[in-house]
């Protein structure tokens, strides 16, 4: 059963919306053929006349439906940014549609087709073409122009072929009303698909910016610590060299000062790295709640420890929360996430992060994030389990034994 539904579950939200939109537009091809293409055949069967002209009109409508379907498919690729706008295909579709409408109107004026066939086929040809052309446009104003232009061209064509003004006006009004409806429907679908993909890309950019901001912060702190000390070391080393060349005893004092500053720099760098590598568990849990909620997920954090956790344990579990939050954001299409931390007075400390919307198969090669977490927990004799638990849910479980906690608290 999972293999049958995996093609849908493994898609992102944007991918699901695109698949639904494409399926709806591909259905238009079948709808045009059945609703409008069969009209001349049905009329010929009812009147028991020759099927030569009706069959030709049916085949013409089939070709037109397929052509509009191809244009729609390529236009959707352009909407999501995968290829260029299909301008040439749009122009070709417009010309083919104009030729088909002229052919239908000509057959009507010469009396070679039934009176009910021409209005139906002209409407179908103009409506579906208007919907396909709207997908190739971004400006809403130009979208409205498509239906208006189709209506004016159809009315003028009918007048040019000798039809009465009333009938020509009826053709124009029918094309206009249907074209506006199809144009609005297709335009909204294209706008929705474009918006969903933009939101998906915005989430990815937001995650990258968060990583870049953290790197800049670390680089700034490291520069502030090392910049001044390295400058002093360089100056004092140069002074010591000059004094040594002159065989002055002050050179030894300068090198002793250089040694002191270097040792102080080592200590300050360790402090910076320690502050970067150690994570406060409460802060990380609150940060995870804020980030996941901002991404549109229902995030619930249950954190009520019955004992005070040592700093080493908080740091290790804080890194687990960081990595789990990153995985939830970057992999799958989660809507809900639950983070639960249990720290009883006696017994192991357990951290569980569970989310839905996880793909059944990883999108790429396995990363080193989980392996790094296992290494951090192994120092505390802890374990880490991660994997699917059914229904598209992914669970990450970290546990640190109580004996190890008691030992840390004794030394603290």
């Amino acid at each position: 059963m999972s293999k049958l539904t995996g093609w849908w579950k493994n898609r992102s939200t944007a991918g699901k919306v695109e698949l639904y939109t494409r399926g709806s537009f591909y259905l238009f091809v079948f709808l045009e053929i059945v609703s409008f293409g069969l009209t001349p055949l049905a009329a010929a069967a009812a009147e028991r006349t020759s099927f030569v002209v009706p069959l030709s009109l049916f085949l013409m409508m089939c070709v037109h439906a397929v052509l509009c379907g191809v244009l729609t498919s390529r236009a959707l690729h352009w909407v999501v940014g995968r290829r260029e706008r299909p301008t040439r295909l749009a122009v070709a579709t417009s010309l083919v549609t104009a030729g088909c409408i002229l052919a239908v109107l000509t057959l009507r004026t010469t009396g070679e087709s039934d009176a009910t066939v021409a209005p139906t086929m002209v409407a179908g040809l103009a409506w579906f073409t208007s919907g396909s052309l709207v997908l190739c446009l971004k400006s809403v104003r130009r979208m409205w122009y498509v239906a208006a232009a189709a209506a004016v061209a159809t009315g003028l064509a009918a007048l040019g072929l000798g039809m009465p003004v009333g009938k020509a006006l009826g053709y124009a009004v029918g094309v206009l009303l249907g074209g506006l409806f199809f144009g609005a429907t297709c335009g909204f679908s294209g706008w929705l698909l474009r918006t969903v993909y933009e939101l998906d890309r915005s989430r990815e950019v937001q995650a990258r910016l968060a990583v870049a901001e953290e790197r800049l912060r670390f680089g700034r702190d490291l520069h502030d610590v090392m910049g001044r000390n390295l400058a002093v070391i360089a100056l004092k080393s140069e002074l010591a060299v000059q004094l040594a060349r002159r065989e002055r005893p002050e050179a030894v004092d300068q090198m002793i000062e250089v040694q002191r500053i270097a040792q102080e720099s080592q200590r300050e760098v360790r402090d910076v790295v320690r502050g970067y590598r150690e994570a406060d568990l409460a802060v990380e849990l609150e940060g995870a709640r804020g980030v996941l909620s901002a991404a549109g997920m229902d995030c619930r954090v249950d954190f009520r420890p019955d004992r005070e956790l040592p700093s080493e344990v908080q740091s290790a579990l804080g890194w687990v929360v960081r990595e789990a939050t990153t995985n939830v954001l970057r992999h799958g299409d989660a809507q809900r996430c639950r983070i639960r931390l249990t720290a009883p007075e006696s017994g192991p400390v357990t951290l569980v992060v569970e989310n839905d919307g996880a793909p059944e198969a990883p999108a790429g090669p396995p990363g080193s994030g989980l392996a790094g977490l296992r290494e951090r927990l192994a120092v505390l004799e802890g374990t880490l389990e991660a994997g699917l638990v059914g229904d598209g849910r992914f669970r990450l479980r970290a546990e640190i034994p109580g004996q190890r906690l008691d030992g840390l608290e004794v030394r603290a």
Side-chain angles (χ1 to χ4, degrees):
M1 187 65 180
S2 60
K3 292 183 179 180
L4 296 176
T5 59
W7 64 274
W8 175 262
K9 290 184 178 180
N10 293 340
R11 292 177 180 270
S12 63
T13 300
K16 292 177 181 177
V17 174
E18 181 182 0
L19 183 62
Y20 172 78
T21 304
R22 286 185 177 277
S24 301
F25 281 119
Y26 293 156
L27 186 62
F28 279 8
V29 176
F30 177 77
L31 183 63
E32 181 179 355
I33 294 174
V34 173
S35 301
F36 300 93
L38 294 178
T39 301
L41 295 178
E47 298 181 1
R48 298 182 179 181
T49 58
S50 174
F51 279 87
V52 176
V53 174
L55 183 60
S56 300
L57 293 176
F58 171 74
L59 294 177
M60 180 189 70
M61 186 63 75
C62 291
V63 173
H64 180 267
V66 173
L67 182 60
C68 287
V70 174
L71 176 60
T72 299
S73 177
R74 296 191 180 181
L76 290 177
H77 280 298
W78 169 71
V79 167
V80 299
R82 296 198 188 104
R83 62 187 306 166
E84 296 180 356
R85 191 201 311 253
T87 304
R88 294 182 179 178
L89 183 59
V91 174
T93 303
S94 301
L95 295 177
V96 170
T97 302
C100 292
I101 291 177
L102 285 175
V104 173
L105 293 176
T106 301
L107 291 174
R108 176 67 191 96
T109 55
T110 57
E112 297 184 15
S113 65
D114 189 79
T116 60
V117 172
T120 303
M121 295 197 66
V122 168
L125 290 167
W127 292 352
F128 285 98
T129 301
S130 298
S132 299
L133 292 177
V134 162
L135 289 174
C136 301
L137 302 173
K138 281 187 177 181
S139 174
V140 178
R141 180 180 299 178
R142 293 181 179 179
M143 293 180 183
W144 295 120
Y145 289 164
V146 172
V152 172
T154 303
L156 293 177
L159 288 175
L161 291 174
M163 288 188 178
V165 177
K167 288 187 177 181
L169 183 60
Y171 277 105
V173 172
V175 170
L176 177 62
L177 295 179
L180 290 176
F181 173 77
F182 272 77
T185 302
C186 297
F188 176 77
S189 298
W191 170 83
L192 178 62
L193 184 60
R194 183 182 293 109
T195 302
V196 169
Y197 266 97
E198 288 179 355
L199 291 175
D200 189 65
R201 285 191 287 265
S202 298
R203 176 194 287 186
E204 183 178 355
V205 170
Q206 184 179 9
R208 292 180 179 178
L209 287 177
V211 174
E213 183 179 356
E214 180 63 18
R215 289 176 178 174
L216 289 175
R217 184 196 67 79
F218 179 72
R220 183 175 61 252
D221 293 345
L222 192 62
H223 176 270
D224 293 341
V225 169
M226 294 299 297
R228 178 183 60 84
N229 291 348
L230 288 176
V232 175
I233 289 174
L235 291 175
K236 287 187 172 293
S237 298
E238 183 178 357
L239 178 59
V241 169
Q242 297 297 330
L243 293 175
R245 288 176 178 174
R246 299 175 185 177
E247 299 182 355
R248 298 284 298 274
E250 290 87 350
V252 178
D253 297 334
Q254 294 296 327
M255 291 308 300
I256 292 175
E257 183 67 14
V258 168
Q259 183 182 16
R260 184 191 65 79
I261 297 175
Q263 292 173 349
E264 181 181 353
S265 299
Q266 289 179 340
R267 179 184 58 79
E268 292 179 350
V269 169
R270 283 194 295 268
D271 292 340
V272 172
V273 174
R274 186 181 301 110
Y276 179 76
R277 297 185 63 182
E278 292 183 359
D280 184 84
L281 184 56
V283 174
E284 293 299 330
L285 289 172
E286 189 61 32
R289 187 209 308 268
V291 170
L292 296 179
S293 298
M297 302 180 196
D298 177 17
C299 181
R300 186 176 66 191
V301 178
D302 186 6
F303 177 41
R304 297 184 180 89
D306 297 330
R307 66 194 298 182
E308 184 177 353
L309 299 179
S311 60
E312 294 91 338
V313 176
Q314 291 200 37
S315 177
L317 295 180
W319 273 101
V320 174
V321 174
R322 282 189 188 181
E323 181 66 23
T325 304
T326 302
N327 290 339
V328 171
L329 286 173
R330 299 184 61 182
H331 305 294
D333 184 28
Q335 300 297 325
R336 291 178 296 274
C337 181
R338 299 292 180 266
I339 304 176
R340 183 176 68 256
L341 175 66
T342 57
E345 294 183 359
S346 61
V349 174
T350 305
L351 175 66
V352 178
V353 181
E354 184 174 318
N355 64 275
D356 61 355
E360 295 184 2
S368 59
L370 296 181
L373 294 181
R374 290 190 174 93
E375 293 176 358
R376 291 178 182 275
L377 293 172
V379 176
L380 302 174
E381 301 177 3
T383 58
L384 180 72
E385 299 176 358
L388 294 171
V389 293
D391 298 331
R393 291 182 295 117
F394 186 88
R395 179 181 298 164
L396 186 146
R397 185 177 185 274
E399 180 177 310
I400 299 177
Q403 299 86 345
R404 182 62 174 172
L405 293 173
D406 296 337
L408 290 174
E409 290 176 347
V410 169
R411 291 196 305 269

